[in-house]
Amino acid sequence: MKTITFNQKKTSQIALEFDELIPDEVYSWEKADFEKYMVPIGNSRFPLTDYFDIEVEGSAESPEEIKMILNGDYGRVKYIGTKMGAGEIIVNGPVDLHCGSQMKGGSILVNGDAESYAGREMEGGSLTIMGNTREFCGCSYIGDWRGMNGGTITIHGNAGKQLGECLSGGSIYVKGDCDILAGIHMTKGFIQIDGDVTRWPGGQMKNGDIVINGELGRLLEGFVQQEIVENPEIDGKDFSGKYIKYTGDIALNGKGRLWLDAEKNRHLLY
Amino acid sequence: MANYEPPVTDYESIVENCTCAFCGCNCDDLDYLIKDGHVVGVRHACRLGASKIMEDMDQRLLVPMIRGEDGELAETDWDSALDKAAELIAGAVRPIFYGWSETSIETMHHGLELGELVGAVLDNQATICHGPSLQAVQNAGYPISTLGEVKNRADMCLYTGSNAMNSHPRHMARYSTFPRGYFRPRGRFDRTVVTLDPKYSDTAKMSDIWVGFEQNGDYEFYNAIRAVLKGKKLQKEFISGIPKEDVEELAEAMKNVQFGALFFGLGLTHTLSKQRNIDIAIQMVADLNSYTKWILMPMRGHFNVNGFNIFMAFETGFPYGVDFARGYQRYMNGETNTIDLLTRKECDVFMVIAADPGAHYPGGAVKHLAEIPVIQVDIHWGPSTEIADVVLPGSFVGVEVGGTSYRMDGVPIWMKKAIDKPETCRDDEWIIKEILERVKKIKAEQGALASK
Amino acid sequence: MEYVLKNGIVYDPANKVAGEKKDVMFKDGKIVDSVSADAKVLDVTDKIVMPAGIDPHAHVAGPKLVVGRIYRPEDSRKGVTHKTDILRSESGFSIPSCPSTGYRYSRMGYGTVVEAAVPPLEAKHTHEEINSTPNLDIVPLSLFGNNWFVLQYAKQNQIEDLAGFIAAWLRLAKCYGVKIVNPCGSEAWGWGMNVHGLDDPAPYWDVTGREVVTALAKANEMLGLPHSVHVHPNDLGHPGNYPTTVSTMEALKDIEKNSTVRGQTMHLTHAQFHAYGGTSWRDADSGADYIADYVNNNDHVTIDVGQVTLDETTTMTADAPMEFDLYKLSGLKWANKDVELETAAGIVPVIYSGKAPVNSLQWAIGLELFLKVNDPWKVCLTTDHPNAGPFIRYPRIISWLMSNERRQEMMDNREVHPWSHRRTSLASLEREYDFNEIATITRAGPAKIYGFQDRGALTPGFNADIAVFDINPNDIDPSRNHEAIEKGFSSAMYTIKDGEILVKDGEIVKVVKSHTLWTDVKGMEEQEKRVMDRVMPDFTKYYTIKFENYQVHDKYLPNPIVTEVQAGK
Ligand code: SF4
Ligand SMILES: [Zn+2]
């Protein structure tokens, strides 16, 4: 095992980009390698050590044996864990855009909030955000109809707009509330929201499951109420209680399933 | 008619077939009446166009300026101003070159080369207007046509989120509603005009049908139309405030035309569900094509806003908000766009070319602009001048200098020159090229130093 | 500057040089037969030397391309590379940016590309993109098959006026030749309809595809243009369409050729998409035999194939109704771009997969066409880029054509679905192309088909457009080494254009501006004037742009190469 610890010295107004600092790239690096490393900021590169004290302990033969602990405010550090395939990253603080995007394996734990595009196009591994996340968590790259297709995202706080946009596999859990259009254009996969949802989950969805355990504000006409199911099994998981099951979005002959807690969503029954 | 103005009779010559450098209609049928080297009258243009073309010389930027220690803009010579601009750009870490929608493609070529050289973000007004439309296009598709298809064939014109009568005054007259087309010989009488807009706008007043759905109700409304097109009976009595019978009737009417054209404006992109309103409207148009012919088109604002998107796409693969910081292009909404970079206070040098960033920017972005060096290339004194550190007076494309532009429907137009520019001004193309040359020189010197 | 390419193995089919060890010399941008002792020697001992490649049909510049690039950032992102000291950064896989297009063709040893579909109203756009595409000469063809004026001339059978119209419009749009796409079908798409077959009239115009193709072909020959009509027939992509294709060829059989520089009166493009049997995709099978037989038995037709490469790509064609059908099949995003009075266009992403029965069938039909047309001068290598796949796959197609073993292997190990051999005769075709045939279908043949008099051969006086590949033809068995063949043709050892070395060892070492080829017809002044008098009132009424602003000014062609043609001569 090798533990790499970043302790922040100062922050930057212009974001740093961490796409080259993933376990897959740095597992063999020693302290001196980090000290040589120039981190991209805007159109230039600056010494990483201007911004962080870095400690390296232990040794590693492969990325799996890497644990990176990032202490401080990473609200201006983009692409943390982008494309990582193995190892572990723990951020003790907030993170900027694209945390865990295109991640293939390993795990990221964010003890703070995450900016937009967390877990974009994720293929595997797990991303846990203890705070809130903004828009487009677990989405696709713009224009692509294939979004996140594997792995798990767990958000302990609230999620912003268009969560799981174009989701085509994997699971997203939101413990808090969620804004509009969760699962828009989704074709496969699973979204569970325990809190309340403002409007229009599942717009233009073709397939997959969305479970809402809180209250939903507004539902689209594209969803057709099917039945009330007690203790349903959804995406291989057991749920207890009564759920209203809808299918949609029929605007595009979608076969997606939207499950609403029946108690909290009586107002939507017809 | 209170504002009747007698026609201009005192002119020396006429230049015909000039192109209006104002809105995305790019009307290319204007006659400029010239006297003493000035445009003294414009025939065929609408008020917006005419007043832009017969520019107010009081507001004209005529000489290069640099803001001094005292905080005041002071006149200077071209060399000093260009050197100053080049020095700022060469030293920037996160420069943005913004605007471009009111200049020529020829100018953009040099701007792009400069951006690639220093690793800048190149962006245009799409970032604050039709950016969401382009994102929707990228998600859902782009079924468009040239405006002549609408003129010759359309029997239904539908405006949504657009008050065309005010923003694009000749759009209905020249392209969509009123003109006589090959298959629509009676013009207006051969067409049904529909406006979908929460407000009863001037365009709505000109329409046969007005559907005033509730604010922020767009997405739900289009979803319901699509559901009806798929044969679903609507459940709710009212959809976004509109009785379900009316929704069903409209869907039926749209199915039964021969050629429908949906024009959408910023109203549709700037509500709660933003790009998804366009996204679903595009899919609705695609659905309708299973029954009959429909096209759609964004009502692009400036005369070359589409041109910049087209130019950037063929040069770099991405239409706007293109970031060269890392030595290759990146395009990421929310990250490589002007507004995000300004509100996040990341940008450190801002060059604005023929645009007015202040007007539509959120407060935070404007505040940041006041704190960083700003280089302005423009013909008019404006809000950008107030915050500019270097002012470079350009010339007027389509009047004082020729240039290529792309109309809202993608039709390319050579906008010819009609008069000479003021002697002290320079063409945008020349200005940007000069900056480029000077930055190249600085970079070469830096390179030589570094290799020593 | 003088150069000698020393000791290469030369394939120059136009000069009947097939694998001879000899030197190729050039001076001041032209091939010469001798140089002075000062000439710079480039040692290419035992390497393949050919004229630079000529792509006779691709979509590389213009409004359709840009719609594709605007609405497929996910494709643009795929090919992004870092800039270098001489190269700009690249982007795109199936729809590369203009600079990327130039670089990538150049790396493969190509020097000339035909842009196959220019709507005159937006020709300036195409020319702007051509100017942004380095290292290539580009040959734009203008769309005529659904033009309202053409429909009227064709209906009234006014061939001379139609010829005048073509002459005038080639000059207005600065294009090289006449392209016809789904004649009458794209006009029908103005109403969301299509035509079916050659005799289904365009709604309202009362004129058929047969009449339009025939009239345009006659007018083309009356003018004696360097290229024949370039035809994308009706019913593209529909099972059971081969009879339409055959009748289109038959319709032009008796038209007399008026050209000494080419052999054909019709070029059938992307024949693969027009060679389907059956009645639906359920029972579709190959119609390649019918097309190949016709081409083998008649000398008035040449074809290019439009080979499916089994990639995710972007389809784009003026055959807009077909694109809408594709969209309904795939459900992916649909773009469309109709152009007033002239044409339509559709754009849809497509994923061609060897797992898919239909795609595998298409793959096999394309290869059948290559292998069944006996005379390599009658068939050209294309993918109808980007429709059946991106042009960067040409080397892979070459490797398939040169290796029966590889083709069988793909069918055996299910890289392609069994429909590839169950519904075609591909498995029984043992023919393998040799290097000379490859040089013919990628260089000499296309040059002849376009009547080029300055390229496509290593003839003294011709442009020094030359490609050298790091393959020793005497020391490789292409049948067994498909990977080496693909690799060899992917990155040229040298690409030389107008005597300048642009590529060395697969890397671009120099970037030059492209040229634009167009045809200026002389001797039709009277007819052109008559045509303009007739056309102008309608032009003014129905176009949305002023005539003055419609034409392509010379400024859009900074490096033109003009072919002057005396009409009727
Ligand atoms: S509609 Fe637009 S382009 Fe036309 S004259 Fe008015 S402002 Fe100018
Ligand atoms: Zn084609």
Side-chain angles (χ1 to χ4, degrees):
Chain A
M1 271 305 287
K2 183 190 266 187
T3 307
I4 302 166
T5 311
F6 281 45
N7 289 310
Q8 196 164 36
K9 284 157 67 175
K10 66 172 184 188
T11 56
S12 166
Q13 194 66 53
I14 305 173
L16 284 66
E17 299 185 10
F18 261 31
D19 49 310
E20 293 165 343
L21 296 173
I22 53 174
D24 313 62
E25 298 285 335
V26 304
Y27 68 90
S28 60
W29 289 21
E30 293 307 327
K31 191 173 160 93
D33 298 307
F34 287 100
E35 281 166 357
K36 276 192 304 219
Y37 179 72
M38 306 284 278
V39 65
I41 300 180
N43 62 16
S44 308
R45 282 177 184 259
F46 296 90
L48 182 64
T49 45
D50 284 1
Y51 296 90
F52 304 97
D53 282 326
I54 293 154
E55 296 304 325
V56 181
E57 268 171 58
S59 67
E61 297 287 301
S62 68
E64 282 81 11
E65 297 166 35
I66 291 293
K67 180 182 205 164
M68 295 178 73
I69 301 174
L70 311 182
N71 296 319
D73 176 359
Y74 292 75
R76 276 289 187 278
V77 180
K78 302 189 290 194
Y79 296 101
I80 292 175
T82 283
K83 293 189 183 165
M84 75 186 263
E88 187 182 355
I89 298 180
I90 298 168
V91 189
N92 294 311
V95 296
D96 202 357
L97 300 157
H98 308 292
C99 179
S101 59
Q102 295 173 283
M103 175 173 181
K104 293 173 180 61
S107 71
I108 301 178
L109 168 66
V110 178
N111 287 308
D113 293 342
E115 253 292 346
S116 301
Y117 296 112
R120 165 174 60 81
E121 296 176 274
M122 192 162 156
E123 291 171 30
S126 79
L127 169 63
T128 307
I129 296 160
M130 297 312 290
N132 303 323
T133 175
R134 280 189 58 203
E135 300 179 3
F136 288 108
C137 178
C139 70
S140 71
Y141 181 68
I142 177 100
D144 208 329
W145 54 92
R146 296 151 293 201
M148 166 174 174
N149 67 10
T152 305
I153 300 178
T154 311
I155 300 147
H156 287 264
N158 304 327
K161 291 178 183 176
Q162 309 202 37
L163 171 89
E165 179 248 17
C166 293
L167 188 69
S168 28
S171 308
I172 303 180
Y173 298 88
V174 180
K175 306 287 179 193
D177 300 337
C178 186
D179 207 341
I180 62 167
L181 293 167
I184 181 164
H185 282 296
M186 92 187 240
T187 54
K188 214 176 149 188
F190 175 82
I191 297 177
Q192 178 182 331
I193 301 159
D194 292 341
D196 298 339
V197 174
T198 51
R199 291 185 183 194
W200 310 327
Q204 292 153 285
M205 90 189 266
K206 284 196 182 133
N207 215 326
D209 290 283
I210 302 177
V211 180
I212 297 175
N213 287 323
E215 189 185 314
L216 172 61
R218 274 164 88 158
L219 178 70
L220 290 166
E221 274 290 334
F223 285 81
V224 183
Q225 188 180 310
Q226 300 295 341
E227 55 188 327
I228 296 187
V229 192
E230 227 178 308
N231 304 333
E233 190 198 305
I234 306 169
D235 194 45
K237 304 163 189 72
D238 290 325
F239 286 79
S240 60
K242 283 188 185 160
Y243 284 84
I244 320 171
K245 178 184 177 184
Y246 298 83
T247 55
D249 182 340
I250 66 151
L252 45 106
N253 299 327
K255 295 176 185 61
R257 296 157 302 275
L258 176 63
W259 309 80
L260 304 184
D261 181 295
E263 288 305 313
K264 296 207 175 106
N265 291 288
R266 278 171 188 284
H267 60 290
L268 293 172
L269 274 174
Y270 51 77
Chain B
M1 289 270 285
N3 324 336
Y4 174 78
E5 281 168 21
V8 176
T9 50
D10 184 17
Y11 58 88
E12 290 155 2
S13 59
I14 302 184
V15 185
E16 290 179 335
N17 302 331
C18 296
T19 305
C20 176
F22 191 74
C23 84
C25 286
N26 299 41
C27 299
D28 73 325
D29 59 345
L30 310 190
D31 294 346
Y32 293 169
L33 311 180
I34 316 283
K35 191 181 177 195
D36 298 335
H38 289 279
V39 180
V40 292
V42 181
R43 289 195 187 138
H44 308 308
C46 71
R47 265 169 181 287
L48 289 179
S51 67
K52 165 98 190 266
I53 294 151
M54 294 195 295
E55 32 123 19
D56 183 354
M57 283 310 280
D58 292 351
Q59 291 299 309
R60 184 69 191 250
L61 291 168
L62 286 167
V63 280
M65 291 183 284
I66 295 181
R67 195 172 297 278
E69 303 276 292
D70 57 356
E72 296 298 320
L73 281 173
E75 292 186 7
T76 182
D77 56 276
W78 273 101
D79 263 328
S80 314
L82 290 164
D83 280 341
K84 178 76 188 167
E87 182 192 311
L88 288 169
I89 288 168
V93 172
R94 202 75 173 112
I96 299 178
F97 304 159
Y98 170 85
W100 308 104
S101 305
E102 297 194 82
T103 190
S104 62
I105 302 289
E106 288 75 6
T107 305
M108 296 174 201
H109 274 283
H110 302 299
L112 176 59
E113 193 180 342
L114 180 60
E116 291 181 5
L117 174 69
V118 301
V121 168
L122 265 78
D123 202 4
N124 79 332
Q125 283 87 335
T127 203
I128 42 160
C129 49
H130 272 290
S133 312
L134 288 170
Q135 292 161 38
V137 157
Q138 290 161 347
N139 278 298
Y142 201 23
I144 57 173
S145 77
T146 65
L147 287 160
E149 283 290 278
V150 179
K151 162 167 135 173
N152 288 315
R153 299 183 202 265
D155 53 348
M156 181 177 275
C157 298
L158 191 154
Y159 287 87
T160 174
S162 164
N163 184 3
M165 284 306 289
N166 289 14
S167 60
H168 299 72
R170 293 181 75 207
H171 193 269
M172 295 177 97
R174 190 158 192 253
Y175 301 120
S176 71
T177 305
F178 294 98
R180 296 159 192 267
Y182 187 85
F183 296 103
R184 304 292 163 220
R186 299 184 309 143
R188 176 70 179 89
F189 304 105
D190 286 339
R191 312 185 205 262
T192 306
V193 180
V194 183
T195 299
L196 308 183
D197 203 323
K199 282 187 282 237
Y200 187 60
S201 64
D202 288 343
T203 309
K205 286 177 204 152
M206 308 284 291
S207 305
D208 302 296
I209 301 169
W210 169 57
V211 183
F213 54 65
E214 69 183 33
Q215 199 73 42
N216 287 332
D218 334 39
Y219 189 87
E220 202 168 334
F221 182 81
Y222 289 111
N223 182 270
I225 294 217
R226 295 190 68 198
V228 174
L229 290 174
K230 286 274 148 48
K232 189 197 175 193
K233 288 234 57 83
L234 297 177
Q235 301 300 328
K236 296 181 212 152
E237 286 306 315
F238 289 89
I239 314 291
S240 298
I242 304 297
K244 71 174 178 192
E245 294 74 21
D246 290 8
V247 177
E248 285 162 355
E249 208 176 295
L250 180 64
E252 201 53 33
M254 290 165 80
K255 251 165 76 173
N256 289 319
V257 298
Q258 280 190 305
F259 186 115
L262 181 150
F263 298 101
F264 63 93
L266 296 179
L268 199 57
T269 63
H270 287 197
T271 62
L272 182 64
S273 30
K274 285 196 207 155
Q275 80 267 37
R276 296 306 173 188
N277 296 324
I278 318 291
D279 182 328
I280 197 163
I282 292 168
Q283 292 203 321
M284 177 188 77
V285 164
D287 295 346
L288 283 163
N289 273 279
S290 295
Y291 304 99
T292 183
K293 177 79 180 188
W294 271 83
I295 63 100
L296 57 72
M297 196 180 303
M299 298 286 285
R300 305 308 300 272
H302 302 287
F303 73 89
N304 219 2
V305 69
N306 195 19
F308 179 82
N309 300 142
I310 287 172
F311 166 78
M312 289 299 282
F314 69 68
E315 289 284 348
T316 76
F318 302 114
Y320 71 103
V322 186
D323 180 3
F324 294 99
R326 295 280 292 268
Y328 50 87
Q329 54 269 53
R330 288 189 297 187
Y331 167 70
M332 198 72 222
N333 296 301
E335 179 185 8
T336 63
N337 305 111
T338 304
I339 297 296
D340 301 286
L341 287 166
L342 289 176
T343 45
R344 285 164 58 100
K345 297 184 184 298
E346 291 199 67
C347 174
D348 62 348
V349 170
F350 192 78
M351 177 159 74
V352 51
I353 301 89
D356 178 10
H360 306 279
Y361 279 17
V366 179
K367 233 171 97 195
H368 184 60
L369 275 179
E371 286 160 14
I372 57 170
V374 173
I375 301 158
Q376 182 196 20
V377 181
D378 211 334
I379 54 175
H380 287 297
W381 195 283
S384 322
T385 322
E386 306 293 335
I387 50 169
D389 298 279
V390 182
V391 176
L392 303 165
S395 55
F396 196 165
V397 177
V399 180
E400 297 166 356
V401 59
T404 306
S405 66
Y406 287 82
R407 204 164 71 181
M408 64 166 68
D409 57 351
V411 170
I413 299 179
W414 169 251
M415 302 170 67
K416 66 180 176 189
K417 169 185 164 155
I419 57 170
D420 287 332
K421 59 179 175 284
E423 231 167 86
T424 48
C425 295
R426 297 287 185 273
D427 295 340
D428 298 1
E429 198 182 332
W430 181 89
I431 295 171
I432 304 295
K433 185 157 185 277
E434 273 300 311
I435 297 176
L436 169 66
E437 295 306 328
R438 284 158 208 254
V439 171
K440 273 186 186 164
K441 225 172 109 197
I442 298 174
K443 292 272 168 192
E445 282 160 12
Q446 284 171 350
L449 265 178
S451 64
K452 265 181 198 156
Chain C
M1 198 58 180
E2 293 179 291
Y3 286 92
V4 189
L5 282 164
K6 201 130 196 90
N7 285 331
I9 313 282
V10 178
Y11 295 89
D12 181 12
N15 290 309
K16 303 207 163 46
V17 177
E20 277 171 43
K21 188 166 210 164
K22 59 184 278 198
D23 298 344
V24 173
M25 289 158 280
F26 55 98
K27 183 183 172 182
D28 299 334
K30 302 285 179 198
I31 308 275
V32 291
D33 44 21
S34 68
V35 286
S36 72
D38 301 338
K40 193 167 174 205
V41 176
L42 304 173
D43 178 14
V44 295
T45 304
D46 293 334
K47 310 293 183 197
I48 289 181
V49 177
M50 292 178 176
I54 297 174
D55 186 339
H57 183 112
H59 302 274
V60 291
K64 286 201 300 282
L65 272 294
V66 103
V67 167
R69 297 186 192 106
I70 285 177
Y71 101 129
R72 291 207 68 194
E74 80 280 10
D75 187 86
S76 291
R77 181 178 62 153
K78 272 188 211 162
V80 171
T81 59
H82 206 286
K83 70 174 179 181
T84 72
D85 286 345
I86 50 168
L87 299 189
R88 298 171 59 193
S89 46
E90 298 180 34
S91 73
F93 174 72
S94 67
I95 27 175
S97 66
C98 291
S100 322
T101 301
Y103 301 157
R104 292 176 194 176
Y105 268 113
S106 205
R107 288 191 193 105
M108 296 195 310
Y110 272 69
T112 304
V113 176
V114 174
E115 160 50 56
V118 182
L121 176 61
E122 301 190 328
K124 289 186 210 74
H125 180 166
T126 305
H127 288 291
E128 283 221 299
E129 291 202 19
I130 289 174
N131 296 334
S132 290
T133 308
N135 287 16
L136 282 178
D137 291 349
I138 298 184
V139 186
L141 301 182
S142 180
L143 290 159
F144 284 97
N146 292 278
N147 183 294
W148 285 5
F149 300 113
V150 172
L151 297 185
Q152 293 172 58
Y153 287 125
K155 184 180 167 189
Q156 290 150 8
N157 200 27
Q158 293 170 325
I159 305 303
E160 204 180 316
D161 284 8
L162 180 55
F165 181 83
I166 293 171
W169 248 251
L170 288 180
R171 190 172 310 108
L172 284 168
K174 298 285 188 292
C175 286
Y176 187 83
V178 176
K179 171 80 181 297
I180 303 166
V181 175
N182 188 7
C184 298
S186 303
E187 165 55 25
W189 181 243
W191 306 110
M193 299 185 241
N194 197 355
V195 299
H196 300 284
L198 201 52
D199 296 304
D200 187 5
Y204 299 103
W205 295 99
D206 191 27
V207 61
T208 62
R210 181 186 301 278
E211 291 166 313
V212 170
V213 180
T214 320
L216 281 167
K218 284 182 185 161
N220 196 95
E221 296 312 313
M222 180 177 282
L223 296 172
L225 296 179
H227 185 42
S228 64
V229 284
H230 191 106
V231 185
H232 156 156
N234 305 100
D235 296 332
L236 178 142
H238 293 287
N241 62 8
Y242 78 80
T244 301
T245 315
V246 172
S247 357
T248 307
M249 295 190 281
E250 277 168 349
L252 304 187
K253 187 172 181 166
D254 297 327
I255 289 172
E256 208 177 316
K257 178 169 71 102
N258 171 26
S259 170
T260 52
V261 293
R262 58 173 150 90
Q264 85 285 8
T265 53
M266 167 182 174
H267 181 77
L268 166 66
T269 189
H270 38 68
Q272 177 272 129
F273 286 121
H274 302 277
Y276 304 151
T279 57
S280 74
W281 283 121
R282 242 177 262 281
D283 67 358
D285 60 10
S286 172
D289 272 333
Y290 301 95
I291 308 299
D293 283 351
Y294 189 94
V295 174
N296 287 334
N297 293 318
N298 293 277
D299 285 335
H300 73 100
V301 181
T302 54
I303 69 168
D304 66 81
V305 169
Q307 174 64 36
V308 164
T309 64
L310 305 173
D311 287 292
E312 177 181 324
T313 189
T314 311
T315 60
M316 51 179 66
T317 157
D319 198 337
M322 189 283 304
E323 289 284 353
F324 187 68
D325 294 345
L326 259 185
Y327 159 69
K328 287 211 283 190
L329 283 176
S330 75
L332 303 178
K333 47 194 182 178
W334 171 56
N336 184 76
K337 173 92 194 255
D338 300 343
V339 178
E340 62 208 56
L341 284 79
E342 294 180 356
T343 182
I347 301 123
V348 177
V350 165
I351 303 167
Y352 290 104
S353 159
K355 292 202 180 65
V358 170
N359 300 158
S360 304
L361 176 63
Q362 294 174 306
W363 172 82
I365 291 172
L367 291 173
E368 277 190 299
L369 286 167
F370 277 116
L371 300 169
K372 287 185 169 177
V373 172
N374 300 324
D375 180 358
W377 288 86
K378 286 183 174 177
V379 57
C380 310
L381 170 56
T382 64
T383 57
D384 188 17
H385 164 83
N387 282 297
F391 66 80
I392 48 171
R393 292 288 190 239
Y394 292 173
R396 183 168 296 172
I397 298 170
I398 291 174
S399 77
W400 292 336
L401 295 177
M402 297 190 87
S403 171
N404 180 37
E405 199 171 300
R406 174 64 184 141
R407 300 194 296 264
Q408 301 298 339
E409 178 186 73
M410 287 177 75
M411 291 185 272
D412 291 345
N413 66 16
R414 291 224 169 205
E415 286 177 62
V416 286
H417 187 275
W419 277 26
S420 57
H421 49 93
R422 290 210 194 116
R423 298 191 178 203
T424 77
S425 55
L426 182 62
S428 68
L429 298 175
E430 288 173 4
R431 179 176 167 194
E432 291 178 335
Y433 272 58
D434 61 26
F435 288 112
N436 201 51
E437 288 174 314
I438 295 297
T440 309
I441 64 169
T442 55
R443 280 121 169 114
K448 171 105 207 235
I449 288 167
Y450 279 90
F452 293 144
Q453 298 297 296
D454 60 355
R455 65 194 67 210
L458 303 175
T459 313
F462 273 38
N463 298 339
D465 290 5
I466 310 164
V468 181
F469 298 103
D470 187 6
I471 299 172
N472 179 348
N474 301 321
D475 190 34
I476 188 170
D477 178 0
S479 191
R480 299 258 153 104
N481 280 298
H482 67 92
E483 277 165 356
I485 292 294
E486 178 176 350
K487 190 162 164 273
F489 281 107
S490 294
S491 73
M493 185 178 166
Y494 287 107
T495 304
I496 295 160
K497 180 101 196 59
D498 297 314
E500 293 193 86
I501 298 171
L502 304 184
V503 173
K504 188 165 184 320
D505 300 328
E507 301 286 339
I508 291 168
V509 292
K510 183 161 189 172
V511 177
V512 296
K513 291 273 179 200
S514 57
H515 296 94
T516 316
L517 280 71
W518 71 279
T519 306
D520 192 3
V521 181
K522 304 287 184 198
M524 292 295 283
E525 291 71 21
E526 216 173 284
Q527 290 90 335
E528 285 187 49
K529 189 176 174 311
R530 192 163 72 224
V531 162
M532 292 319 292
D533 287 346
R534 167 159 169 204
V535 160
M536 274 325 281
D538 281 350
F539 188 101
T540 310
K541 259 190 273 173
Y542 302 126
Y543 271 101
T544 53
I545 182 170
K546 287 288 179 179
F547 184 73
E548 182 187 344
N549 299 324
Y550 176 81
Q551 54 200 305
V552 176
H553 308 289
D554 290 341
K555 90 141 215 131
Y556 291 98
L557 286 85
N559 308 302
I561 296 177
V562 189
T563 304
E564 278 195 17
V565 170
Q566 276 298 328
K569 300 256 166 65

